[in-house]
Amino acid sequence: MKLGELRPAEGSNPKAWRRGRGHASGNGKTGGRGHKGQGARSGTGGKAGFEGGQMPLYRRLPKRGFTCRNSKEIIGINIHTLNAFEDGAVVDIDALKAAGLVSNPKDGVKILGVGELERKLTVKVNAYSKSAIEKIEAAGGKAEVI
């Protein structure tokens, strides 16, 4: 089979319904829009969320909380997970992704001080906790902020 021989499945691509093409078409005169009213006029879709005067869903539901649009989503990683790397390795966000420790770094990665570090590593991420910096330097490594 070649790309030029591909065809859609039978019935999956129906012919377009041509409206307003006379009485015999079954959709003549008003073209399926009914008589008068908002939906009968051209260029009026109404505003998004309008429910014909009924209280719209977005106003019926309770509103709770607040989302700050300036906040950053930082991914936290505990220091003991860095033991997955070889001694003397350079650990940056790309290395963390390659090792499967971070799938989506979002706005940055922060190393947290939970656990013990048994390797001498050079770590280059966005942020560290104080205890994480102490543990990295105690193991003989370096903590660099990017």
Side-chain angles (χ1 to χ4, degrees):
M1 178 177 274
K2 298 183 180 89
L3 285 176
E5 297 170 359
L6 290 175
R7 294 284 173 264
E10 193 65 40
S12 70
N13 199 3
K15 206 148 167 88
W17 195 300
R18 299 184 73 220
R19 295 172 181 273
R21 295 296 184 274
H23 291 295
S25 71
N27 234 316
K29 194 183 168 198
T30 55
R33 287 173 171 263
H35 293 273
K36 301 184 181 177
Q38 184 180 28
R41 315 289 186 211
S42 68
T44 59
K47 26 181 207 183
F50 182 66
E51 298 182 22
Q54 173 175 302
M55 186 64 67
L57 182 67
Y58 74 91
R59 288 188 60 196
R60 293 196 305 261
L61 295 176
K63 309 294 183 282
R64 282 187 56 85
F66 170 76
T67 305
C68 178
R69 42 174 129 146
N70 298 322
S71 65
K72 302 253 184 280
E73 195 164 346
I74 306 293
I75 306 301
I77 296 180
N78 289 320
I79 200 162
H80 65 82
T81 58
L82 300 181
N83 288 322
F85 293 96
E86 295 296 318
D87 209 23
V90 175
V91 179
D92 57 1
I93 293 174
D94 293 329
L96 291 168
K97 278 169 111 176
L101 299 174
V102 171
S103 57
N104 181 3
K106 302 197 178 181
D107 293 319
V109 175
K110 180 173 183 172
I111 305 295
L112 306 173
V114 177
E116 293 303 318
L117 183 63
E118 298 150 11
R119 310 233 192 284
K120 179 182 175 182
L121 301 171
T122 303
V123 187
K124 299 178 179 180
V125 293
N126 304 86
Y128 303 88
S129 67
K130 284 182 185 175
S131 59
I133 293 173
E134 291 167 8
K135 289 178 183 181
I136 291 169
E137 289 172 353
K142 274 201 266 179
E144 297 177 16
V145 177
I146 56 169

